Amino acid sequence: MNFKKEPFFDGNSEWEDLGNGVSRQFVGYNSQVMMVIVKFEKDAIGALHQHFHSQITYVASGKFEVTVDGETKILQQGDGFFAQPNIFHGVKCLEAGQLIDSFTPFREDFLKD
């Protein structure tokens, strides 16, 4: 398994196109933690899902309709949410923007072989 070992992130890392107006960029990770920037075009969806990781998300820009554990709120720049392990959560982008996701442990499923 390869871990991102560079100590600094300058924003020039490659973006991975996830399709349907969503792309992501890895800030850094090891086996314990991962930080990812996720870019959304207006009306793009981060489908309702769950995973065993703890997730904290910060809204860096834009406006999002966010659902966590059945509760929905509108979040914008400076807001955030916490998704406990195995809790359903998802987003709809109302105004193009970026989310900063942090996971523990890291999301091995995000990494290509």
Side-chain angles (χ1 to χ4, degrees), residues 28-91:
Y29 58 89
N30 64 19
S31 64
Q32 301 302 308
V33 67
M34 174 181 273
M35 182 178 280
V36 180
I37 302 171
V38 186
K39 183 169 35 175
F40 289 83
E41 295 175 11
K42 185 180 183 312
D43 297 323
I45 303 286
L48 203 60
H49 66 287
Q50 67 180 23
H51 43 73
F52 70 87
H53 312 83
S54 293
Q55 176 179 340
I56 299 174
T57 297
Y58 174 78
V59 180
S61 63
K63 185 184 273 188
F64 295 83
E65 179 183 274
V66 179
T67 301
V68 179
D69 199 21
E71 183 176 355
T72 301
K73 293 193 177 225
I74 304 298
L75 301 182
Q76 56 193 357
Q77 184 176 4
D79 296 334
F81 68 90
F82 173 60
Q84 299 258 11
N86 302 310
I87 296 296
F88 279 99
H89 58 284
V91 304

